[in-house]
Amino acid sequence: MTTAMRAAVLERPGKFKVGAVDRPQPRLDEALIRIDRTGICGTDIHIFHGRYAAEFLPMIPGHEFTGRIAELGPHVKGWEIGQQVVVDMNIGCTTCYWCRRNEVLNCPDMQQMGINIDGAFAEYIAVPARLLIAAPENTPSEILALTEPLACVVRAARKSRVTFGQSVTVIGAGPIGNLHVQLLRNIGVAPIIVTDINQSRLLMAKESGADIAVPPHRLKEAVLTATQGRGTDMVIECVGDSTLYAEALEVMRKGGHLAAFGLTGPDDEIDINIVQMILQENSIKGSVAGIGEDMHDALTLLTHHRIKTSPFTGAEFPLDDIQTAFDTFADRPDDLKTQIVM
Ligand SMILES: [Zn+2]
Ligand SMILES: [Zn+2]
């Protein structure tokens, strides 16, 4: 006999159905999590509009979640019922070439909660116990639900090896852009220059720690002035708009690094002058998710108050109103992060 739970199933692009579904049963090595809350990610918005992972619908999206252990499979050791946790959403096969090299994100059989298997806009989720991360009991769930988006940002910084004293341009001051700014500030990056088309988001970027925040038409001049005409050591594209790469490269110094972060359309391409890339020894690197150590490090930064979380909390909808939360998302640019409360 299966028990029911409430969940938001995205039946087709643009249409959620909130209602009773079968509650997942934890397998031998799994934990059942009673979810407290789940953040809405830019990726969820892409899924909602049918621009990403549409082939997996109907499905329960949601991957930025936190909750408490409700049940443990018989083979799971070292965890307790009621313990507060966050969860690494990326399930590798554990045995392929990439999983063995700790490059799980390239595992051909990788499953991601809320992307290609059911996720966390629901009361419960069953997850492999090896992906659990213990969260301090006294850290509120609205902060813990920021672990996954911050982990993505941590990974980008790690992959690009950005370090203190370097200068960085951040393109896009949405939730991810603002998390980048805060992390870069922690690292000791200077100056941090941010651009966005939205004026209130530029103000938020300043509050997050940006030294300079300007609209796109003023970016090049601002960067060149701040860097003695060189351009910044690194540029992070957080919008996911391939047409912005040309200007990203324009504000990057010779020998600089471009971090491709914002998810573009599946067929979007950019023009790169290869000889310039070679002669200037420029580099470009993508990063797609927070995983493993990124999740642990993000949680550490959050629980030790290295990230100012107030800009990312407060916009909440109950699970029953998830359709409204998604329908109104674009009209609420000042809500940097929206969370669904179960
Ligand atoms: Zn996310
Ligand atoms: Zn694998």
Side-chain angles (χ1 to χ4, degrees), residues 267-312:
D267 303 318
D268 290 354
E269 294 181 350
I270 56 167
D271 283 328
I272 289 209
N273 182 312
I274 295 169
V275 74
Q276 188 178 320
M277 182 111 179
I278 295 167
L279 295 177
Q280 298 184 355
E281 298 197 314
N282 296 334
S283 62
I284 178 167
K285 194 159 186 60
S287 67
V288 63
I291 184 168
E293 60 184 336
D294 310 316
M295 288 291 290
H296 283 272
D297 291 348
L299 182 61
T300 300
L301 289 167
L302 286 167
T303 53
H304 290 278
H305 311 291
R306 292 302 195 277
I307 300 294
K308 192 170 73 176
T309 53
S310 54
F312 304 97

mmCIF file of all heavy atoms in Angstrom, residues 267-312:
data_model
loop_
_atom_site.group_PDB
_atom_site.id
_atom_site.type_symbol
_atom_site.label_atom_id
_atom_site.label_comp_id
_atom_site.label_asym_id
_atom_site.label_seq_id
_atom_site.Cartn_x
_atom_site.Cartn_y
_atom_site.Cartn_z
ATOM 1 N N ASP A 267 20.794 25.672 -28.930
ATOM 2 C CA ASP A 267 21.505 25.817 -30.203
ATOM 3 C C ASP A 267 22.235 27.151 -30.332
ATOM 4 O O ASP A 267 22.749 27.474 -31.407
ATOM 5 C CB ASP A 267 20.529 25.645 -31.371
ATOM 6 C CG ASP A 267 19.821 24.296 -31.316
ATOM 7 O OD1 ASP A 267 20.510 23.302 -31.023
ATOM 8 O OD2 ASP A 267 18.597 24.250 -31.527
ATOM 9 N N ASP A 268 22.272 27.931 -29.275
ATOM 10 C CA ASP A 268 22.935 29.238 -29.347
ATOM 11 C C ASP A 268 24.446 29.060 -29.531
ATOM 12 O O ASP A 268 25.057 28.203 -28.902
ATOM 13 C CB ASP A 268 22.679 30.052 -28.074
ATOM 14 C CG ASP A 268 21.238 30.504 -27.976
ATOM 15 O OD1 ASP A 268 20.496 30.285 -28.951
ATOM 16 O OD2 ASP A 268 20.863 31.072 -26.938
ATOM 17 N N GLU A 269 25.027 29.898 -30.387
ATOM 18 C CA GLU A 269 26.466 29.828 -30.641
ATOM 19 C C GLU A 269 27.059 31.223 -30.545
ATOM 20 O O GLU A 269 26.351 32.217 -30.634
ATOM 21 C CB GLU A 269 26.727 29.227 -32.025
ATOM 22 C CG GLU A 269 26.292 27.763 -32.086
ATOM 23 C CD GLU A 269 26.547 27.118 -33.439
ATOM 24 O OE1 GLU A 269 26.890 27.847 -34.383
ATOM 25 O OE2 GLU A 269 26.380 25.902 -33.509
ATOM 26 N N ILE A 270 28.380 31.259 -30.371
ATOM 27 C CA ILE A 270 29.053 32.563 -30.382
ATOM 28 C C ILE A 270 30.201 32.517 -31.383
ATOM 29 O O ILE A 270 30.728 31.442 -31.699
ATOM 30 C CB ILE A 270 29.610 32.953 -28.990
ATOM 31 C CG1 ILE A 270 30.551 31.873 -28.440
ATOM 32 C CG2 ILE A 270 28.482 33.230 -28.008
ATOM 33 C CD1 ILE A 270 31.356 32.328 -27.241
ATOM 34 N N ASP A 271 30.563 33.703 -31.881
ATOM 35 C CA ASP A 271 31.736 33.828 -32.751
ATOM 36 C C ASP A 271 32.948 34.138 -31.896
ATOM 37 O O ASP A 271 32.912 35.037 -31.070
ATOM 38 C CB ASP A 271 31.537 34.990 -33.739
ATOM 39 C CG ASP A 271 30.596 34.574 -34.856
ATOM 40 O OD1 ASP A 271 30.606 33.378 -35.214
ATOM 41 O OD2 ASP A 271 29.856 35.437 -35.348
ATOM 42 N N ILE A 272 34.004 33.377 -32.107
ATOM 43 C CA ILE A 272 35.242 33.661 -31.381
ATOM 44 C C ILE A 272 36.369 33.799 -32.382
ATOM 45 O O ILE A 272 36.504 32.961 -33.287
ATOM 46 C CB ILE A 272 35.563 32.530 -30.376
ATOM 47 C CG1 ILE A 272 34.560 32.603 -29.226
ATOM 48 C CG2 ILE A 272 36.982 32.640 -29.867
ATOM 49 C CD1 ILE A 272 35.067 32.108 -27.912
ATOM 50 N N ASN A 273 37.151 34.854 -32.243
ATOM 51 C CA ASN A 273 38.331 35.017 -33.071
ATOM 52 C C ASN A 273 39.435 34.132 -32.493
ATOM 53 O O ASN A 273 40.012 34.426 -31.442
ATOM 54 C CB ASN A 273 38.747 36.486 -33.073
ATOM 55 C CG ASN A 273 39.944 36.722 -33.973
ATOM 56 O OD1 ASN A 273 40.935 35.989 -33.892
ATOM 57 N ND2 ASN A 273 39.858 37.723 -34.808
ATOM 58 N N ILE A 274 39.726 33.020 -33.184
ATOM 59 C CA ILE A 274 40.601 32.005 -32.588
ATOM 60 C C ILE A 274 42.036 32.495 -32.450
ATOM 61 O O ILE A 274 42.689 32.256 -31.427
ATOM 62 C CB ILE A 274 40.542 30.702 -33.412
ATOM 63 C CG1 ILE A 274 39.121 30.132 -33.313
ATOM 64 C CG2 ILE A 274 41.530 29.667 -32.885
ATOM 65 C CD1 ILE A 274 38.851 29.013 -34.256
ATOM 66 N N VAL A 275 42.512 33.204 -33.465
ATOM 67 C CA VAL A 275 43.911 33.624 -33.390
ATOM 68 C C VAL A 275 44.114 34.597 -32.223
ATOM 69 O O VAL A 275 45.125 34.570 -31.531
ATOM 70 C CB VAL A 275 44.408 34.206 -34.741
ATOM 71 C CG1 VAL A 275 43.864 35.602 -35.015
ATOM 72 C CG2 VAL A 275 45.934 34.223 -34.769
ATOM 73 N N GLN A 276 43.087 35.416 -31.995
ATOM 74 C CA GLN A 276 43.152 36.338 -30.852
ATOM 75 C C GLN A 276 43.174 35.554 -29.538
ATOM 76 O O GLN A 276 43.923 35.862 -28.617
ATOM 77 C CB GLN A 276 41.939 37.264 -30.904
ATOM 78 C CG GLN A 276 41.967 38.387 -29.903
ATOM 79 C CD GLN A 276 40.731 39.274 -30.069
ATOM 80 O OE1 GLN A 276 40.296 39.557 -31.182
ATOM 81 N NE2 GLN A 276 40.158 39.683 -28.959
ATOM 82 N N MET A 277 42.371 34.517 -29.508
ATOM 83 C CA MET A 277 42.326 33.640 -28.323
ATOM 84 C C MET A 277 43.701 33.028 -28.064
ATOM 85 O O MET A 277 44.180 32.980 -26.919
ATOM 86 C CB MET A 277 41.305 32.537 -28.617
ATOM 87 C CG MET A 277 41.074 31.571 -27.510
ATOM 88 S SD MET A 277 39.420 31.828 -26.855
ATOM 89 C CE MET A 277 39.403 30.553 -25.613
ATOM 90 N N ILE A 278 44.354 32.574 -29.139
ATOM 91 C CA ILE A 278 45.677 31.944 -29.003
ATOM 92 C C ILE A 278 46.728 32.974 -28.603
ATOM 93 O O ILE A 278 47.463 32.776 -27.634
ATOM 94 C CB ILE A 278 46.078 31.275 -30.340
ATOM 95 C CG1 ILE A 278 45.119 30.123 -30.656
ATOM 96 C CG2 ILE A 278 47.518 30.784 -30.290
ATOM 97 C CD1 ILE A 278 45.219 29.606 -32.072
ATOM 98 N N LEU A 279 46.784 34.070 -29.375
ATOM 99 C CA LEU A 279 47.850 35.055 -29.147
ATOM 100 C C LEU A 279 47.730 35.702 -27.771
ATOM 101 O O LEU A 279 48.733 36.026 -27.141
ATOM 102 C CB LEU A 279 47.819 36.132 -30.240
ATOM 103 C CG LEU A 279 48.137 35.637 -31.653
ATOM 104 C CD1 LEU A 279 48.012 36.769 -32.662
ATOM 105 C CD2 LEU A 279 49.527 35.008 -31.721
ATOM 106 N N GLN A 280 46.493 35.877 -27.325
ATOM 107 C CA GLN A 280 46.305 36.539 -26.027
ATOM 108 C C GLN A 280 46.231 35.539 -24.863
ATOM 109 O O GLN A 280 46.136 35.933 -23.709
ATOM 110 C CB GLN A 280 45.017 37.387 -26.057
ATOM 111 C CG GLN A 280 45.063 38.503 -27.080
ATOM 112 C CD GLN A 280 43.821 39.391 -27.038
ATOM 113 O OE1 GLN A 280 42.873 39.130 -26.302
ATOM 114 N NE2 GLN A 280 43.843 40.445 -27.835
ATOM 115 N N GLU A 281 46.270 34.257 -25.200
ATOM 116 C CA GLU A 281 46.174 33.196 -24.182
ATOM 117 C C GLU A 281 44.931 33.361 -23.306
ATOM 118 O O GLU A 281 44.992 33.254 -22.085
ATOM 119 C CB GLU A 281 47.451 33.121 -23.346
ATOM 120 C CG GLU A 281 48.665 32.773 -24.195
ATOM 121 C CD GLU A 281 49.849 32.289 -23.374
ATOM 122 O OE1 GLU A 281 50.150 32.936 -22.357
ATOM 123 O OE2 GLU A 281 50.452 31.274 -23.767
ATOM 124 N N ASN A 282 43.823 33.655 -23.961
ATOM 125 C CA ASN A 282 42.551 33.783 -23.238
ATOM 126 C C ASN A 282 41.978 32.396 -22.952
ATOM 127 O O ASN A 282 42.318 31.419 -23.624
ATOM 128 C CB ASN A 282 41.547 34.567 -24.085
ATOM 129 C CG ASN A 282 42.003 35.990 -24.324
ATOM 130 O OD1 ASN A 282 42.764 36.538 -23.523
ATOM 131 N ND2 ASN A 282 41.563 36.582 -25.415
ATOM 132 N N SER A 283 41.098 32.318 -22.000
ATOM 133 C CA SER A 283 40.443 31.036 -21.736
ATOM 134 C C SER A 283 38.953 31.246 -21.499
ATOM 135 O O SER A 283 38.503 32.327 -21.126
ATOM 136 C CB SER A 283 41.067 30.326 -20.530
ATOM 137 O OG SER A 283 40.909 31.098 -19.367
ATOM 138 N N ILE A 284 38.216 30.181 -21.730
ATOM 139 C CA ILE A 284 36.776 30.195 -21.494
ATOM 140 C C ILE A 284 36.413 28.856 -20.865
ATOM 141 O O ILE A 284 36.947 27.818 -21.266
ATOM 142 C CB ILE A 284 36.001 30.460 -22.811
ATOM 143 C CG1 ILE A 284 34.498 30.418 -22.581
ATOM 144 C CG2 ILE A 284 36.378 29.495 -23.909
ATOM 145 C CD1 ILE A 284 33.703 30.987 -23.759
ATOM 146 N N LYS A 285 35.571 28.884 -19.848
ATOM 147 C CA LYS A 285 35.210 27.634 -19.176
ATOM 148 C C LYS A 285 33.762 27.689 -18.731
ATOM 149 O O LYS A 285 33.296 28.716 -18.248
ATOM 150 C CB LYS A 285 36.111 27.430 -17.954
ATOM 151 C CG LYS A 285 36.060 26.026 -17.383
ATOM 152 C CD LYS A 285 37.303 25.752 -16.567
ATOM 153 C CE LYS A 285 37.401 24.324 -16.073
ATOM 154 N NZ LYS A 285 37.419 23.299 -17.106
ATOM 155 N N GLY A 286 33.073 26.595 -18.930
ATOM 156 C CA GLY A 286 31.693 26.511 -18.488
ATOM 157 C C GLY A 286 31.607 25.855 -17.118
ATOM 158 O O GLY A 286 32.522 25.154 -16.692
ATOM 159 N N SER A 287 30.506 26.108 -16.426
ATOM 160 C CA SER A 287 30.211 25.343 -15.208
ATOM 161 C C SER A 287 28.698 25.301 -15.094
ATOM 162 O O SER A 287 28.015 26.263 -15.443
ATOM 163 C CB SER A 287 30.845 25.975 -13.971
ATOM 164 O OG SER A 287 30.249 27.212 -13.677
ATOM 165 N N VAL A 288 28.195 24.181 -14.642
ATOM 166 C CA VAL A 288 26.758 23.951 -14.806
ATOM 167 C C VAL A 288 25.983 23.728 -13.507
ATOM 168 O O VAL A 288 24.797 23.965 -13.448
ATOM 169 C CB VAL A 288 26.496 22.780 -15.782
ATOM 170 C CG1 VAL A 288 27.064 21.486 -15.241
ATOM 171 C CG2 VAL A 288 25.019 22.602 -16.077
ATOM 172 N N ALA A 289 26.638 23.318 -12.434
ATOM 173 C CA ALA A 289 25.871 23.003 -11.230
ATOM 174 C C ALA A 289 26.815 22.960 -10.046
ATOM 175 O O ALA A 289 28.030 22.902 -10.215
ATOM 176 C CB ALA A 289 25.159 21.666 -11.373
ATOM 177 N N GLY A 290 26.262 23.017 -8.869
ATOM 178 C CA GLY A 290 27.048 22.809 -7.659
ATOM 179 C C GLY A 290 26.951 21.353 -7.270
ATOM 180 O O GLY A 290 25.871 20.764 -7.315
ATOM 181 N N ILE A 291 28.059 20.758 -6.883
ATOM 182 C CA ILE A 291 28.051 19.319 -6.607
ATOM 183 C C ILE A 291 29.119 19.003 -5.565
ATOM 184 O O ILE A 291 30.169 19.643 -5.537
ATOM 185 C CB ILE A 291 28.289 18.533 -7.926
ATOM 186 C CG1 ILE A 291 28.200 17.029 -7.704
ATOM 187 C CG2 ILE A 291 29.604 18.912 -8.587
ATOM 188 C CD1 ILE A 291 28.139 16.235 -8.997
ATOM 189 N N GLY A 292 28.843 18.023 -4.725
ATOM 190 C CA GLY A 292 29.842 17.534 -3.771
ATOM 191 C C GLY A 292 30.419 18.636 -2.909
ATOM 192 O O GLY A 292 29.709 19.289 -2.145
ATOM 193 N N GLU A 293 31.722 18.870 -3.040
ATOM 194 C CA GLU A 293 32.412 19.852 -2.192
ATOM 195 C C GLU A 293 31.814 21.249 -2.353
ATOM 196 O O GLU A 293 31.863 22.051 -1.416
ATOM 197 C CB GLU A 293 33.909 19.873 -2.525
ATOM 198 C CG GLU A 293 34.180 20.250 -3.968
ATOM 199 C CD GLU A 293 35.656 20.178 -4.355
ATOM 200 O OE1 GLU A 293 36.523 20.278 -3.484
ATOM 201 O OE2 GLU A 293 35.913 20.022 -5.574
ATOM 202 N N ASP A 294 31.266 21.553 -3.529
ATOM 203 C CA ASP A 294 30.649 22.870 -3.717
ATOM 204 C C ASP A 294 29.477 23.051 -2.753
ATOM 205 O O ASP A 294 29.275 24.130 -2.193
ATOM 206 C CB ASP A 294 30.142 23.041 -5.151
ATOM 207 C CG ASP A 294 31.199 22.685 -6.182
ATOM 208 O OD1 ASP A 294 32.351 23.103 -6.002
ATOM 209 O OD2 ASP A 294 30.862 21.983 -7.148
ATOM 210 N N MET A 295 28.686 21.993 -2.592
ATOM 211 C CA MET A 295 27.548 22.057 -1.671
ATOM 212 C C MET A 295 28.031 22.235 -0.232
ATOM 213 O O MET A 295 27.501 23.062 0.513
ATOM 214 C CB MET A 295 26.715 20.769 -1.779
ATOM 215 C CG MET A 295 25.903 20.634 -3.054
ATOM 216 S SD MET A 295 24.519 21.805 -3.157
ATOM 217 C CE MET A 295 23.401 21.178 -1.889
ATOM 218 N N HIS A 296 29.049 21.487 0.140
ATOM 219 C CA HIS A 296 29.582 21.607 1.503
ATOM 220 C C HIS A 296 30.121 23.016 1.753
ATOM 221 O O HIS A 296 29.872 23.625 2.796
ATOM 222 C CB HIS A 296 30.689 20.577 1.733
ATOM 223 C CG HIS A 296 30.170 19.201 1.971
ATOM 224 N ND1 HIS A 296 29.836 18.737 3.217
ATOM 225 C CD2 HIS A 296 29.894 18.190 1.114
ATOM 226 C CE1 HIS A 296 29.382 17.495 3.129
ATOM 227 N NE2 HIS A 296 29.416 17.139 1.853
ATOM 228 N N ASP A 297 30.872 23.539 0.787
ATOM 229 C CA ASP A 297 31.473 24.861 0.971
ATOM 230 C C ASP A 297 30.399 25.949 0.996
ATOM 231 O O ASP A 297 30.495 26.907 1.767
ATOM 232 C CB ASP A 297 32.487 25.138 -0.145
ATOM 233 C CG ASP A 297 33.718 24.251 -0.013
ATOM 234 O OD1 ASP A 297 33.872 23.611 1.047
ATOM 235 O OD2 ASP A 297 34.510 24.189 -0.967
ATOM 236 N N ALA A 298 29.384 25.816 0.149
ATOM 237 C CA ALA A 298 28.298 26.797 0.150
ATOM 238 C C ALA A 298 27.581 26.797 1.499
ATOM 239 O O ALA A 298 27.288 27.849 2.068
ATOM 240 C CB ALA A 298 27.309 26.490 -0.977
ATOM 241 N N LEU A 299 27.338 25.599 2.029
ATOM 242 C CA LEU A 299 26.665 25.501 3.332
ATOM 243 C C LEU A 299 27.524 26.139 4.427
ATOM 244 O O LEU A 299 27.019 26.844 5.306
ATOM 245 C CB LEU A 299 26.375 24.025 3.646
ATOM 246 C CG LEU A 299 25.644 23.757 4.955
ATOM 247 C CD1 LEU A 299 24.273 24.427 4.959
ATOM 248 C CD2 LEU A 299 25.491 22.261 5.182
ATOM 249 N N THR A 300 28.831 25.903 4.357
ATOM 250 C CA THR A 300 29.742 26.508 5.344
ATOM 251 C C THR A 300 29.677 28.031 5.279
ATOM 252 O O THR A 300 29.583 28.710 6.302
ATOM 253 C CB THR A 300 31.182 26.029 5.092
ATOM 254 O OG1 THR A 300 31.208 24.606 5.215
ATOM 255 C CG2 THR A 300 32.145 26.631 6.100
ATOM 256 N N LEU A 301 29.716 28.580 4.082
ATOM 257 C CA LEU A 301 29.658 30.041 3.929
ATOM 258 C C LEU A 301 28.343 30.600 4.480
ATOM 259 O O LEU A 301 28.320 31.647 5.133
ATOM 260 C CB LEU A 301 29.811 30.426 2.448
ATOM 261 C CG LEU A 301 31.208 30.213 1.858
ATOM 262 C CD1 LEU A 301 31.157 30.322 0.340
ATOM 263 C CD2 LEU A 301 32.200 31.225 2.429
ATOM 264 N N LEU A 302 27.247 29.882 4.215
ATOM 265 C CA LEU A 302 25.944 30.358 4.687
ATOM 266 C C LEU A 302 25.848 30.285 6.210
ATOM 267 O O LEU A 302 25.397 31.233 6.856
ATOM 268 C CB LEU A 302 24.815 29.528 4.057
ATOM 269 C CG LEU A 302 24.530 29.828 2.589
ATOM 270 C CD1 LEU A 302 23.632 28.752 1.986
ATOM 271 C CD2 LEU A 302 23.879 31.204 2.420
ATOM 272 N N THR A 303 26.285 29.170 6.790
ATOM 273 C CA THR A 303 26.104 29.008 8.234
ATOM 274 C C THR A 303 27.074 29.894 9.015
ATOM 275 O O THR A 303 26.828 30.185 10.180
ATOM 276 C CB THR A 303 26.261 27.533 8.669
ATOM 277 O OG1 THR A 303 27.505 27.040 8.190
ATOM 278 C CG2 THR A 303 25.147 26.689 8.096
ATOM 279 N N HIS A 304 28.153 30.333 8.385
ATOM 280 C CA HIS A 304 29.073 31.264 9.057
ATOM 281 C C HIS A 304 28.845 32.707 8.601
ATOM 282 O O HIS A 304 29.722 33.545 8.745
ATOM 283 C CB HIS A 304 30.519 30.818 8.853
ATOM 284 C CG HIS A 304 30.834 29.560 9.605
ATOM 285 N ND1 HIS A 304 31.165 29.551 10.936
ATOM 286 C CD2 HIS A 304 30.807 28.266 9.218
ATOM 287 C CE1 HIS A 304 31.344 28.302 11.342
ATOM 288 N NE2 HIS A 304 31.129 27.495 10.310
ATOM 289 N N HIS A 305 27.673 32.941 8.022
ATOM 290 C CA HIS A 305 27.225 34.321 7.748
ATOM 291 C C HIS A 305 28.163 35.081 6.820
ATOM 292 O O HIS A 305 28.319 36.286 6.950
ATOM 293 C CB HIS A 305 27.029 35.089 9.064
ATOM 294 C CG HIS A 305 26.218 34.338 10.073
ATOM 295 N ND1 HIS A 305 24.867 34.106 9.907
ATOM 296 C CD2 HIS A 305 26.569 33.727 11.228
ATOM 297 C CE1 HIS A 305 24.422 33.395 10.933
ATOM 298 N NE2 HIS A 305 25.438 33.150 11.737
ATOM 299 N N ARG A 306 28.806 34.379 5.889
ATOM 300 C CA ARG A 306 29.638 35.073 4.912
ATOM 301 C C ARG A 306 28.815 35.614 3.748
ATOM 302 O O ARG A 306 29.297 36.355 2.922
ATOM 303 C CB ARG A 306 30.728 34.138 4.370
ATOM 304 C CG ARG A 306 31.772 33.764 5.381
ATOM 305 C CD ARG A 306 32.457 35.001 5.938
ATOM 306 N NE ARG A 306 33.697 34.667 6.636
ATOM 307 C CZ ARG A 306 33.763 34.256 7.896
ATOM 308 N NH1 ARG A 306 32.658 34.119 8.614
ATOM 309 N NH2 ARG A 306 34.929 33.969 8.454
ATOM 310 N N ILE A 307 27.556 35.208 3.685
ATOM 311 C CA ILE A 307 26.670 35.665 2.621
ATOM 312 C C ILE A 307 25.500 36.404 3.268
ATOM 313 O O ILE A 307 24.876 35.893 4.202
ATOM 314 C CB ILE A 307 26.129 34.454 1.804
ATOM 315 C CG1 ILE A 307 27.295 33.661 1.167
ATOM 316 C CG2 ILE A 307 25.123 34.915 0.739
ATOM 317 C CD1 ILE A 307 28.087 34.385 0.109
ATOM 318 N N LYS A 308 25.249 37.615 2.786
ATOM 319 C CA LYS A 308 24.098 38.373 3.291
ATOM 320 C C LYS A 308 22.857 37.816 2.595
ATOM 321 O O LYS A 308 22.679 37.983 1.385
ATOM 322 C CB LYS A 308 24.289 39.853 2.980
ATOM 323 C CG LYS A 308 23.318 40.755 3.711
ATOM 324 C CD LYS A 308 23.693 42.221 3.558
ATOM 325 C CE LYS A 308 23.369 42.692 2.159
ATOM 326 N NZ LYS A 308 23.601 44.105 1.921
ATOM 327 N N THR A 309 22.017 37.127 3.372
ATOM 328 C CA THR A 309 20.919 36.382 2.750
ATOM 329 C C THR A 309 19.628 37.189 2.651
ATOM 330 O O THR A 309 18.704 36.777 1.942
ATOM 331 C CB THR A 309 20.634 35.085 3.539
ATOM 332 O OG1 THR A 309 20.429 35.436 4.912
ATOM 333 C CG2 THR A 309 21.796 34.120 3.436
ATOM 334 N N SER A 310 19.555 38.335 3.325
ATOM 335 C CA SER A 310 18.276 39.067 3.343
ATOM 336 C C SER A 310 17.749 39.415 1.942
ATOM 337 O O SER A 310 16.528 39.378 1.737
ATOM 338 C CB SER A 310 18.381 40.319 4.221
ATOM 339 O OG SER A 310 19.460 41.121 3.832
ATOM 340 N N PRO A 311 18.609 39.735 0.950
ATOM 341 C CA PRO A 311 18.035 40.028 -0.375
ATOM 342 C C PRO A 311 17.386 38.810 -1.038
ATOM 343 O O PRO A 311 16.647 38.959 -2.013
ATOM 344 C CB PRO A 311 19.242 40.484 -1.208
ATOM 345 C CG PRO A 311 20.314 40.812 -0.226
ATOM 346 C CD PRO A 311 20.070 39.932 0.952
ATOM 347 N N PHE A 312 17.666 37.615 -0.526
ATOM 348 C CA PHE A 312 17.206 36.382 -1.179
ATOM 349 C C PHE A 312 16.043 35.718 -0.438
ATOM 350 O O PHE A 312 15.601 34.638 -0.805
ATOM 351 C CB PHE A 312 18.355 35.375 -1.286
ATOM 352 C CG PHE A 312 19.551 35.928 -2.002
ATOM 353 C CD1 PHE A 312 20.613 36.451 -1.287
ATOM 354 C CD2 PHE A 312 19.603 35.953 -3.382
ATOM 355 C CE1 PHE A 312 21.715 36.984 -1.940
ATOM 356 C CE2 PHE A 312 20.691 36.476 -4.045
ATOM 357 C CZ PHE A 312 21.750 37.004 -3.323
#
